[in-house]
Amino acid sequence: MINPVHLRTLVEVTRLGSFAAAATRLGYTASAVSQQMSALERDTGVELFQRSARSIQPTEAALVMTRHAAKVLTDIEALMAAASRTADTTRQELRLGIFPSLATYVLPRILANPAWKKLGIDLRVSVAEPAQTIQGLRTGGELDVALVYQVGQSGLAWPHTVNRQWIGDDDFRVVLPAAWGIGTDSKVAADHLSDMPWIVHHPGTSDATVIERLFASCNLHPRVVAYSDDFHASLEMAAAGLGAALVPELALLHRPAGVVVLDVPEIRLARNVFALLINEKQTAQVQLFVELLADTFNSPALKPAPNPSAPRKS
C-alpha cells in the first residue's frame, strides 16, 4: 500500500526541486522528506530520484507518478469531503420521555457536555411522570426512549418488548425545618419523628404505598399536615417550618435555606432510575447517549452539598 502522505510529499519535491524546499513547505525536516521518498521507492520498487551531494533529479518514473499522484490526492480530498457531508446528514432523531427532576438537573448538564455535540442526535423531549411516559412507548411509537424511576417494588410496568438499562439510584433523605433545632449530626431514630408534622405523598399512588409501608416498618406513623407530590413545594413548605418531608437527592441540589437534611438509619429508600429503549431504535448513537446519561447522573457534581450552617446538636 502506498502512503498518501508520501505521495503529497513527492508532488511538492518534484514541484520545488529539492528536499529542503519541500520540507519547509510541508513543515517537515529535510531528513524526514528524504526518508519518506526512500520509503516510497521501496513501496513502488522504482527509483524516483537521482541523488548527488548537492542536488536531486527526479526520474521519468517520478514525473509520471507525480501526475497520477495529483489526481489521486484530489480524489482523496473529495472522498473525505463527501464523508464529512454524509456524517452531517446521518443524524438521528431521538424522542425522549423523561421525568421532571432528571430533566431539571441532569439533562441540561448532558446538553452542555462537549461529548453530546459529537453524538449526532436531534432530541425531542417530553417531560412527564413515569406512568405517562411509559404509555408513549406502548401506543403508536410516540417515544424511542423513556427515562423512568421505580420506588422499591412499586407497580410500575413496561412493555416486554423494550430493553431496560439501569442508570443509577436516587436516594431519599429526610428533610426537617432548621427551625426545629435538630442538627445534622444528631442521632434520630425513625420512631422519634412520629410526633412531628409531616408533608407526604398523596395517598393511593404506588410511591406513597411503598413509603407508607416503610414508615410502618420503622414504627413511624406521621402526623400529616400536607399532601404534596411536588418535591420543590415540599422543600419550600419544610423550609417555612410546616413539617418534615422525604425527598430524593436530585431535588436537594437546589434546596432552600431553612432546611436540614438528616440521615435516619432505618429509612433506606431510593428511586431506581432506568432507561427503557425500543429495541429497533437502540443504535450506537442511542447507546452512547445512555452511557453519557449514566456518567452524568452518577457524577459527584450531582450529589447534594452538606447542610450549610446547620445547627449541630446532639
Side-chain angles (χ1 to χ4, degrees), residues 2-10 26 28 36-37 73:
I2 296 177
N3 190 333
V5 173
H6 296 171
L7 290 180
R8 188 174 299 280
T9 302
L10 170 66
L26 296 171
Y28 300 136
Q36 287 188 30
M37 293 302 92
L73 293 170

Side-chain angles (χ1 to χ4, degrees), residues 91-166:
R91 299 182 63 84
Q92 178 178 353
E93 181 181 82
L94 180 64
R95 298 170 301 172
L96 177 71
I98 184 171
F99 60 90
S101 52
L102 206 64
T104 301
Y105 300 112
V106 178
L107 187 58
R109 294 173 183 267
I110 292 174
L111 299 179
N113 191 321
W116 162 255
K117 298 177 175 60
K118 299 177 182 179
L119 291 184
I121 290 177
D122 294 322
L123 206 56
R124 301 291 180 269
V125 180
S126 175
V127 180
E129 291 298 327
Q132 181 180 348
T133 298
I134 288 175
Q135 288 303 316
L137 292 177
R138 294 179 186 276
T139 58
E142 297 158 3
L143 296 175
D144 303 319
V145 176
L147 301 175
V148 303
Y149 64 82
Q150 186 175 28
V151 178
Q153 297 300 316
S154 60
L156 191 65
W158 42 81
H160 69 277
T161 54
V162 304
N163 177 23
R164 185 183 74 164
Q165 293 190 30
W166 178 74

Side-chain angles (χ1 to χ4, degrees), residues 220-271:
L220 197 167
H221 304 283
R223 178 165 59 88
V224 179
V225 294
Y227 292 106
S228 171
D229 292 333
D230 185 319
F231 295 122
H232 298 292
S234 298
L235 283 169
E236 292 293 344
M237 288 188 286
L242 183 62
L246 194 62
V247 178
E249 287 188 338
L250 270 182
L252 292 174
L253 287 171
H254 290 97
R255 65 180 181 268
V259 297
V260 171
V261 181
L262 201 63
D263 183 32
V264 180
E266 300 101 318
I267 299 178
R268 288 288 181 263
L269 189 65
R271 299 194 297 181

Side-chain angles (χ1 to χ4, degrees), residues 70-82:
K71 183 178 184 304
V72 168
L73 293 170
T74 299
D75 289 343
I76 289 175
E77 290 175 357
L79 181 150
M80 297 301 294

